[in-house]
Amino acid sequence: MKQVKIGNSEFKASAVALGIMRMDKLSVDEAVTILEETKNDGINFIDSANVYGMGKAEEIFGKAFKKSSLTRSDFYIQSKGGIYCNPDRNMEITRYDFSQANLINTVDGILQRMGIDYLDSFLLHRPDALMDPAEIATAFDILQRDGKVRHFGVSNLNPLQVELIQSGINQKLLINQLQFGVMHTGPVDFGIHTNMLDKRSIDHDGGVLEYSRLHNMTIQAWSPFQYGQFEGTFIDDPNHQEVNDELQKLGDKYHVSKNAIATAWILRHPAKLQVIAGTMNPMHLRDSAKGADVELTAQEWYDIYMAAGNDLP
């Protein structure tokens, strides 16, 4: 499995990671299978969040990890926190909360559910409009001092939000987790359409892709096979026939699946992204991960981009 360097650290991991958002739907034995097959396929990075299944995904992971033949050194384990689910409102998401107390309590809960002593990385999950860099700094210092978190990052934050947090903390933010893929191309659209007046020329995220490259932040692409935000997968969707035809053509050329080509498309970008695959099917995961070994040409990358409904000005 191709390796990517995480941020500007010596922290290296597989180019494809396993996201466990759907692990709460599995039995412990099923989770054992996916974890062991993940390791056998060369994937050594696990991504989670405290809100996945309201914590149940991490509980299943913890039980499965303990029951498996795996050891802590087999995986880099990452989780996210900062989304507050209010127990007084039926666990509804009522705010984002980067307060010192909430961040520390969140990490403690994650470690307990997952049955581990530390996280390799902890990300702030979606921006808190009321965030205070001084409170974040205190939380990060305590978590690192106590050996509970080794590295830090963010998820779905724009460059100015990253700069604001970075200005107040002692650790380097290594990661920004963002939605990016064949059918979610906003981070590259506005750059291609610079000095144009069409919709794709609008910068929705503050130039986060270019910012991340300049500051050596690794972008982790979530929902890589989705269109829109949560509408569904575009793979084999007849409403997205042109892009599926292009993926199939290249899949035939490289002897891999359409999912693998969609993975290769993300990894072809020189920003050295990491792909978070969220399937709980070992065969599907292995199938998608094969894209890490496919090096698309520049023309093939653009052909897929165009087939996805984009244009070049």
Side-chain angles (χ1 to χ4, degrees):
M1 167 69 66
K2 176 182 177 182
Q3 300 280 299
V4 294
K5 187 176 180 182
I6 305 299
N8 63 348
S9 70
E10 296 305 314
F11 180 17
K12 290 185 178 179
S14 54
V16 176
L18 174 67
I20 66 167
M21 182 173 69
R22 299 177 179 87
M23 191 166 276
D24 62 307
K25 305 296 193 297
L26 302 186
S27 68
V28 172
D29 286 341
E30 289 170 333
V32 169
T33 298
I34 186 71
L35 291 178
E36 292 190 336
E37 290 296 317
T38 294
K39 178 63 170 62
N40 290 338
D41 292 337
I43 296 172
N44 66 355
F45 196 103
I46 302 294
D47 173 71
S48 184
N50 68 319
V51 294
Y52 291 167
M54 297 294 102
K56 187 179 177 183
E58 292 180 337
E59 290 177 3
I60 296 295
F61 172 90
K63 292 175 182 178
F65 193 61
K66 184 177 180 180
K67 189 174 183 178
S68 74
S69 62
L70 300 162
T71 65
R72 182 63 183 86
S73 61
D74 286 326
F75 288 123
Y76 292 104
I77 300 177
Q78 168 178 284
S79 193
K80 302 181 288 291
I83 296 177
Y84 184 79
C85 299
N86 196 324
D88 297 327
R89 301 190 195 177
N90 198 30
M91 300 309 288
E92 175 188 359
I93 296 173
T94 58
R95 68 178 186 269
Y96 303 126
D97 188 347
F98 290 178
S99 67
Q100 174 186 332
N102 185 58
L103 294 179
I104 291 174
N105 289 339
T106 294
V107 170
D108 286 342
I110 291 167
L111 296 178
Q112 182 178 16
R113 287 189 296 273
M114 300 186 91
I116 57 178
D117 296 327
Y118 67 92
L119 291 170
D120 290 285
S121 48
F122 175 67
L123 311 186
L124 300 174
H125 199 179
R126 296 207 172 271
D128 175 12
L130 303 179
M131 60 185 169
D132 179 352
E135 280 209 61
I136 297 170
T138 303
F140 281 9
D141 286 346
I142 292 171
L143 291 169
Q144 193 170 65
R145 181 201 67 197
D146 292 348
K148 295 177 180 179
V149 178
R150 293 187 171 180
H151 304 286
F152 296 90
V154 297
S155 179
N156 304 297
L157 270 64
N158 67 40
L160 283 179
Q161 291 165 337
V162 173
E163 286 283 338
L164 177 62
I165 294 170
Q166 189 66 75
S167 70
I169 64 175
N170 296 309
Q171 301 81 9
K172 173 68 176 176
L173 295 171
L174 302 182
I175 297 162
N176 197 352
Q177 196 173 105
L178 305 163
Q179 187 176 10
F180 183 68
V182 169
M183 294 297 296
H184 195 96
T185 57
V188 297
D189 290 346
F190 93 96
I192 290 175
H193 286 255
T194 293
N195 201 35
M196 305 297 291
L197 299 176
D198 57 344
K199 290 183 179 179
R200 287 190 176 89
S201 69
I202 299 172
D203 177 7
H204 292 281
D205 51 36
V208 69
L209 186 62
E210 289 80 5
Y211 174 89
S212 299
R213 295 180 71 183
L214 286 169
H215 291 80
N216 294 313
M217 289 187 74
T218 296
I219 291 177
Q220 295 175 334
W222 58 267
S223 290
F225 310 127
Q226 302 286 312
Y227 66 93
Q229 189 166 6
F230 299 112
E231 284 85 347
T233 179
F234 60 85
I235 302 291
D236 293 328
D237 185 337
N239 295 315
H240 302 285
Q241 194 61 51
E242 186 177 353
V243 71
N244 274 280
D245 289 346
E246 188 65 29
L247 293 172
Q248 185 64 62
K249 182 181 77 173
L250 291 169
D252 291 343
K253 173 183 174 181
Y254 290 103
H255 307 292
V256 295
S257 70
K258 288 183 278 191
N259 286 72
I261 295 298
T263 298
W265 186 86
I266 297 170
L267 296 177
R268 175 63 177 81
H269 196 282
K272 298 180 176 61
L273 289 86
Q274 190 179 31
V275 174
I276 306 293
T279 181
M280 291 290 102
N281 183 311
M283 290 183 62
H284 290 169
L285 180 63
R286 183 179 305 117
D287 190 44
S288 299
K290 289 179 180 177
D293 299 319
V294 174
E295 184 73 17
L296 297 174
T297 68
Q299 189 58 63
E300 288 166 346
W301 189 93
Y302 272 99
D303 287 344
I304 292 171
Y305 180 76
M306 297 286 283
N310 298 297
D311 63 351
L312 300 179

